Amino acid sequence: VEYFCYDLRPGYLDPPAGGSEASSPGTTAPLPFAWEKLGEFSCDPVRRAAPHNRVVVGRIRRTANSSVQANAQPSRPAPR
């Protein structure tokens, strides 16, 4: 998985983009990986200056170590 999305509702803040470091009060729980925000889209049925319901699209930042794991073949059970 390279891209993901999440709901951003009133009163919630974006999770920290740097991964799992400590967050400030009121921040959504940190995600267990480094990521970058690509876009934020309103899902309100009515256009507002500050939408109530939004969806954020992000991309996982791969490190050299995680790309090796992503390219690894899944393990198969030994033949009988």
Side-chain angles (χ1 to χ4, degrees), residues 2 8 24 48 76:
E2 188 166 342
L8 188 59
S24 59
R48 302 173 195 195
R76 295 184 180 155

Side-chain angles (χ1 to χ4, degrees), residues 3-27:
Y3 298 93
F4 64 96
C5 63
Y6 62 89
D7 291 334
L8 188 59
R9 306 245 180 220
Y12 290 92
L13 303 172
D14 282 330
S20 58
E21 62 260 357
S23 58
S24 59
T27 304

